[in-house]
Amino acid sequence: MVAKVPAFVCRKTRMEDWSKLKRCYIVSYDLVDPKNYDALRESIMSYDGWAHIADSTWAVVTGKSAADVRNDLTKSLDADDLLFVVKSGTEAAWQNVKCRNRWLKEYL
């Protein structure tokens, strides 16, 4: 059974920390066996800023590279699970996301 995360979940980094972090990454995954969901969710939520955008899509704010984020999160995955990490760009659009629109506007 997949653990449910409350809707509108996000963690905001303090604005004075934002200038040091500077990077927001979109993390998307497919777990072949959802038994790893809790460990992966905890890994994602360990970042300074994060938002749960859709069922298998999150945004994380960190000073790390995309490869570092991938390597961190891979520790919580099985070899056959899929993971995609991309640095967010300058333009985004969305509808009916789980997190707050304001968080996305501020950090993406």
Side-chain angles (χ1 to χ4, degrees):
M1 178 167 195
V2 175
K4 294 195 176 201
V5 176
F8 306 107
V9 172
C10 65
R11 176 175 167 194
K12 184 176 181 178
T13 185
R14 294 187 322 262
M15 286 312 289
E16 59 269 17
D17 294 337
W18 176 245
S19 61
K20 298 174 192 168
L21 299 173
K22 295 184 183 171
R23 296 183 190 107
C24 182
Y25 295 99
I26 304 302
V27 175
S28 181
Y29 57 85
D30 284 324
L31 303 182
V32 175
D33 181 359
K35 70 181 182 333
N36 292 333
Y37 182 80
D38 289 335
L40 179 60
R41 181 175 50 93
E42 288 174 16
S43 293
I44 291 170
M45 293 170 66
S46 71
Y47 286 97
D48 295 316
W50 53 266
H52 192 190
I53 298 171
D55 287 341
S56 297
T57 306
W58 295 68
V60 297
V61 176
T62 182
K64 296 182 175 186
S65 69
D68 289 337
V69 172
R70 178 206 56 209
N71 293 342
D72 289 347
L73 299 180
T74 298
K75 296 172 189 172
S76 301
L77 301 176
D78 288 334
D80 55 352
D81 292 332
L82 294 90
L83 176 67
F84 181 76
V85 179
V86 63
K87 185 177 175 187
S88 66
T90 59
E91 185 176 353
W94 56 86
Q95 177 177 327
N96 298 329
V97 294
K98 290 186 171 198
C99 64
R100 293 183 178 100
N101 286 329
R102 184 175 176 181
W103 191 98
L104 293 174
K105 288 177 184 177
E106 224 173 297
Y107 293 101
L108 289 184

